Amino acid sequence: MGRTWLAAVTLLSLFGSDTALAQAVSIGGRLGISNSAALFADEHSRNRIDDRRGLQVSGIVGHELNSVLSLQLELSYIQKGWAELETGGDRKLTYLELPLLLSINAPWTTSPHLLVGPSVSRELNCSVIGVPQVGSVSCSDPRLGWDREKLLFGLWFGLGLGRWLGTSKLDVQFLGNISLTDIDREELPPGYIRLATVTASATYKISLGGL
């Protein structure tokens, strides 16, 4: 009986006593850097791939469910890609990405938090630099013969530290993204090519109050 009562009190404190916060909506933005590379199925390909840095800029709409849980919908411009060390060809890809993140926050003024959620991204631009006997061209150049997926699905996860500043909040976050979609449509050895990305960024959100 005692444990049941304790569980009930805990649930009420999370979902009942924070009614005003549960209705809070915020808007803001994210600015950060990305570092990405390609994940190949075979060991030889993994050893000859280097990473590539880029930019991440996002608009954010957040919804505080309670003092612990919040949802965050973003629209991101993000640069990804990789470099092929043996054959040349620095592949530069730019995406418009839509992540939906669940944030699990410690209920403190300065709060560490966990983030996880799915994403869908659409290719905006793709180019290859330094291919022998081809040079720098668009990824759609027929000389490359690269049949790729332009719509990718992925999973974001990571850690952050945030602080409320009155009605606004500043977060510093480190996130990772694993593509769940093979970027290469060709089902030939060495197998899948998946993009993996790590980002370091800061977000700033302003609360708009209740809905």
Side-chain angles (χ1 to χ4, degrees), residues 6-193:
L6 179 60
V9 171
T10 302
L11 287 174
L12 285 173
S13 68
L14 293 179
F15 297 98
S17 62
D18 294 321
T19 303
L21 183 59
Q23 300 300 317
V25 173
S26 58
I27 60 171
R30 177 190 301 277
L31 180 63
I33 57 173
S34 64
N35 196 65
S36 58
L39 301 179
F40 284 82
D42 73 303
E43 184 176 349
H44 175 68
S45 293
R46 289 198 300 269
N47 290 338
R48 60 183 174 85
I49 294 299
D50 202 0
D51 55 0
R52 183 180 180 276
R53 292 183 179 87
L55 176 69
Q56 182 187 25
V57 180
S58 308
I60 298 173
V61 177
H63 182 39
E64 305 291 336
L65 302 176
N66 52 58
S67 61
V68 175
L69 300 177
S70 61
L71 286 175
Q72 190 165 292
L73 181 66
E74 302 189 23
L75 184 62
S76 297
Y77 170 91
I78 185 168
Q79 296 173 329
K80 301 183 181 183
W82 69 88
E84 298 187 4
L85 301 178
E86 292 183 1
T87 61
D90 186 358
R91 307 203 177 202
K92 303 171 64 176
L93 300 104
T94 302
Y95 291 96
L96 189 65
E97 189 154 347
L98 190 69
L100 177 61
L101 301 177
L102 174 66
S103 180
I104 305 172
N105 312 276
W108 308 324
T109 303
T110 301
S111 59
H113 50 274
L114 302 173
L115 300 108
V116 63
S119 67
V120 58
S121 55
R122 175 69 181 180
E123 180 188 301
L124 295 178
N125 186 56
C126 180
S127 60
V128 179
I129 299 174
V131 178
Q133 300 167 350
V134 175
S136 301
V137 296
S138 167
C139 295
S140 300
D141 192 297
R143 291 174 293 176
L144 292 178
W146 188 26
D147 187 16
R148 68 194 185 282
E149 291 285 355
K150 295 187 178 182
L151 187 68
L152 303 179
F153 296 91
L155 179 66
W156 283 96
F157 52 91
L159 299 170
L161 183 66
R163 181 174 177 84
W164 283 100
L165 307 169
T167 59
S168 63
K169 189 180 183 185
L170 178 65
D171 294 312
V172 176
Q173 297 174 342
F174 298 91
L175 298 169
N177 176 265
I178 297 293
S179 175
L180 304 177
T181 307
D182 190 346
I183 195 174
D184 198 338
R185 290 179 180 174
E186 298 179 0
E187 296 182 359
L188 299 172
Y192 67 75
I193 303 176

